[in-house]
Amino acid sequence: MIDFKQYEVWFVTGSQHLYGPRTLEQVADHSREIAAFLNISTHIPVKVIFKPVLTTPEAIRELCLEANSTRDCVGLITWMHTFSPAKMWIAGLSLLKKPFLHLHTQYNREIPWSEIDMNFMNLNQAAHGDREFGFIGSRMRLNRKVVVGHWQDDGVQADIGIWVRAACAWADSQGGKVARFGDNMRDVAVTEGDKVEAQIRLGYDVYGYGVGDLVKSVNQATEVEVDQMVQAYLDEYDVSPGLMPTGGKHPALREGARIEVGMRNFLAAGNFMAFTTTFEDLHGLAQLPGLAVQRLMRDGYGFGAEGDWKTAALVRAMKVMSAGLPGGVSFMEDYTYHFSASGDKVLGAHMLEICESIAANKPKLEILPLSIGGKADPLRLIFEANTGPAVGASLVDMGQRFRLIVNKVDVVPIDEPLPKLPVARALWLPRPNLKTAAAAWIYAGGAHHTSFSYSVSAEHLQDFANMAGIEFLLIDENTQLEDFREKLRWNEMYYHLAKGL
Ligand code: MN
């Protein structure tokens, strides 16, 4: 359900008429070559479209308006091959609604020492042309990403690719729809928030439904649809004997399949990108949806439990950022600690809803009692998560602003088997260590729910936060607690004053 083929970024070069037509032709040729190179770069998952070199305020304004109204254009890559007087850019940039990346590069990699003359100098002058363009971006207080280096360098392409993925998630978020089945869990604070402000700031709309609307869709599932879903379960998972067609609990498997069919049909019909459930509101559903949620996340839907719409939308954004990359993205919760000599660890899990995209092994499909909710035993996939570096991200509403908090972690193998733990799980060491990371997270007000990923990096999330103009806080191997607390205090001041900047 996530397809980058629809998206494109525009490669936009600025110049002026001072240099004469021959130089401008060369500028255009070089830009075309760079755009074509980036278009086939494996780091950049969308089309890179060359746009004619801009040399007048009118042309710049027209291009920015065209970008705003082109749905599939997720952003601009701008580059000043020569000098492009930046007052020409004010009208266009003040109208531009799409994210932009300022690529500070030069067509020629190295100085041709024995041949360099003033013609070369006048053509290859991004070193100062881009500074003029940079000034106007800063003078206008515009959010943008600056990437520096030769355009053929792998690192430059990688940085552009990260930004492009964030821009795709940003485009997906604009007008995106989140469905909530039931309200937030009663009395919980961090899963609440200002949905109007979220829509203004992040672009997505949150729609509430009574669980009865979902039940209606579940009841409308046909026997053929349920049969097909049951067959998919049998094909894809290590199904416990009781749930097999010959087993005594097979009717519960069919009931779980019916719930998944109903949820899928509901979400597809409403063109939703993410959804929430809550165990406090399940009237008419036989089980808390576990398996269905795990599989819907695998297919690209965002999800938040207990009505957590902010995390649902964040999981979806990270699903988009990571599309096509190895790894995975899941809803997650910091559940239990392991304080030990081998390093203090976090066991992450949830009641049921961990996405199988992060599974290290073929999931086991089980039916087991749930100690809360008071419903029939729910189906769930049980597995160990992949090991390796990952991030946990949390979006919280601080009242005056949204704050995105990211912790880099290292997922490690479990110390010993967990034969009695009936849920999917991941065990990790937070960076720099639990003592600092958890204190920083708590001082920052980070939630117990996160969006957890092996394929999305802190850089993807930072680019996304910049596009949204929201606060971004990173907890990683370099975090020092007192510096971090000082940053929290400064940010309180900055975001208060920034409204007047
Ligand atoms: Mn929870």
Side-chain angles (χ1 to χ4, degrees), residues 125-146:
Q125 57 171 284
H128 62 280
D130 272 330
R131 281 176 163 74
E132 165 75 357
F133 181 74
F135 166 74
I136 207 64
S138 293
R139 173 69 178 77
M140 294 173 73
R141 273 76 177 174
L142 299 177
N143 281 329
R144 77 276 198 202
K145 179 170 183 173
V146 179

Side-chain angles (χ1 to χ4, degrees), residues 62-133:
E62 283 309 305
L63 179 115
C64 291
L65 288 173
E66 189 191 344
N68 287 348
S69 61
T70 304
R71 202 186 52 187
D72 298 338
C73 171
V74 299
L76 308 184
I77 299 173
T78 57
W79 174 49
M80 307 302 124
H81 188 345
T82 49
F83 200 83
S84 183
K87 281 164 75 179
M88 296 200 309
W89 286 84
I90 293 173
L93 290 178
S94 57
L95 292 167
L96 184 66
K97 291 283 190 183
K98 298 287 169 88
F100 75 98
L101 178 149
H102 181 185
L103 176 59
H104 184 44
T105 191
Q106 174 170 293
Y107 178 74
N108 264 64
R109 183 186 285 277
E110 296 180 346
I111 292 173
W113 301 100
S114 63
E115 289 170 21
I116 186 167
D117 57 12
M118 281 317 286
N119 284 338
F120 182 96
M121 296 279 276
N122 283 333
L123 181 64
N124 292 283
Q125 57 171 284
H128 62 280
D130 272 330
R131 281 176 163 74
E132 165 75 357
F133 181 74

Side-chain angles (χ1 to χ4, degrees), residues 347-358:
L347 184 66
H350 203 256
M351 282 187 290
L352 304 170
E353 309 94 334
I354 300 299
C355 176
E356 65 171 287
S357 68
I358 68 168

Side-chain angles (χ1 to χ4, degrees), residues 185 305-306 331 333 335 350-351 448-449:
M185 182 176 166
E306 292 104 41
F331 175 73
E333 183 165 287
Y335 226 111
H350 203 256
M351 282 187 290
H448 51 288
H449 288 166

